[in-house]
Structure formats: C-alpha cells, structure tokens
Amino acid sequence: MEKSELKNDLLVRAARGEAIERPPVWMMRQAGRYMKVYRELREKHPSFRERSENPELAAEISLQPFRAFRPDGTILFSDILTPLPGLGIPFDIVESRGPIIDPPIRSAAQIEALREFDPETAVPFIRQIFAAIHREVAGRSAVLGFVGAPWTLAAYAVEGKSSKDYAVIKSMAFREPALLHQFLESWRSPSSPTCATRLRAGRRRCSCLIPGRGSCRRWILLHLLCPTTRKSLQR
C-alpha cells in the first residue's frame, strides 16, 4: 500500500530531532473510556480482540480521536500481544483483568512447539486497517504504531497475565537462563516482521515497547533484555 503524502510531518520531524515550530500533539492511548463514541462501540463489540483484529472496527476506533481532535499523530488501535497466536500461543484480553495466557509458557517442550511467525498469515488484517486509516487521514496526521519487545512478549507469555513485579520470568532468568534465552530468541521473529509489516503498511513511526523494564535487575537488562531488543530492531 502506498503511503499518503504527509502534509503534517511535525511529529516525524520532532522524532528525527529536527527543529520544529511547536511541540507535536498526540496521545499514546487515544481510544478509551473518555470518548462516548468508543464506549458505545465497545458495548456492541465487548471482545477486545474483535475490536483490534476486525479491520472495520479497528480502523473506526483508530480514527475516532483523529476526527475529534486532529492530533499530529494517529495511532493504530491494537495490542502488543497480537502476534501471540501466530506462534501458537492463544490469549484473550478480559475486561478489568487484562491479558490472559493459559497455560503460560514455562517449559522447554512448550518453547520447542512454537511455530515460526509469518506476519502475512498471522496478522493479515494489519494492512487492511492501515489502508482504511490512510484513506481518511490523507496525510493530515502521522500514522503511528507499536510492537512489543522480545522481553515484553515473553514476560506476558511466561507470567500468563499482567504483573507488577514479573517474579516468574525473573526467576527463570536466574534459574534457567538458557531456557529463557531460547524463548527470547524465538520472540525476535514476531517483533521484527510485525514492526516491518506495519511500517510497510504505512506507519511513519513504530515504537518498541518494554513495560516492566524498570523492575529488572542490571544483569537481566545487560544480558537478556537489551541484546534481544537490539537484535530484533536490526533485522
């Protein structure tokens, strides 16, 4: 899909470190409870995965803030765990509880059973969503995206849910470092092509998110988190 000519490139120029006439305005969590139109759509479609993976719904939600506020950046409505099923890891997002992965991935047999990630078959809806967004935005806002770093995706899969301290995966890092490293290497696959696919689909910027990094010890940061993240971004 061809990108629209970017008429409003303020956010892109700011990201490049160029001189800008004013700070760009955008919201990391643009869709949410503060928008009545979103709440009404959520009542009709309570499944988060349906809202984020159905091209028509995801494009509509992504465009709601653009129509209301005309921010300098328009973010795809999605989730960092979207690639999981492409590797053979089922998940769901439960209202008020967050993501649930059952069973969590904690054994060598589970890791070896993972499939190779193919974005064209695992997330084919991404291109369709972006085509719809670009048709309406028409270059008046930079299209933004995000993916989860290998550590982020592995942490959710190992913990089986959201966590405040990531105790299970940190314990694995020290007790079974070879197993965790093998798991992190498998996550390089979905992180890299997912980001590349989203950029090819028209995203002007694609952020790599690493929630929970502040709770990691220095050894984990230096030997597991940073190296695998760097490798995934270099592909």
Side-chain angles (χ1 to χ4, degrees), residues 43 74 129 220:
E43 289 180 4
T74 299
I129 297 169
I220 293 177

Side-chain angles (χ1 to χ4, degrees), residues 48-49 52-53 76 78-91 93 101 114-126 146-150 152-154 156-157 186-198 203 206:
F48 183 93
R49 288 196 60 185
S52 62
E53 297 178 19
L76 176 74
S78 186
D79 189 85
I80 57 175
L81 302 184
T82 297
L84 263 63
L87 278 87
I89 303 176
F91 83 100
I93 297 181
I101 295 94
L114 296 178
R115 299 192 297 263
E116 183 175 353
F117 184 81
D118 177 13
E120 298 302 327
T121 57
V123 289
F125 44 85
I126 292 294
F146 56 92
V147 296
T152 304
L153 300 176
Y156 275 105
S186 71
W187 283 111
R188 286 174 53 193
S189 176
S191 294
S192 302
T194 299
C195 188
T197 297
R198 295 183 177 190
R203 287 189 175 184
C206 189

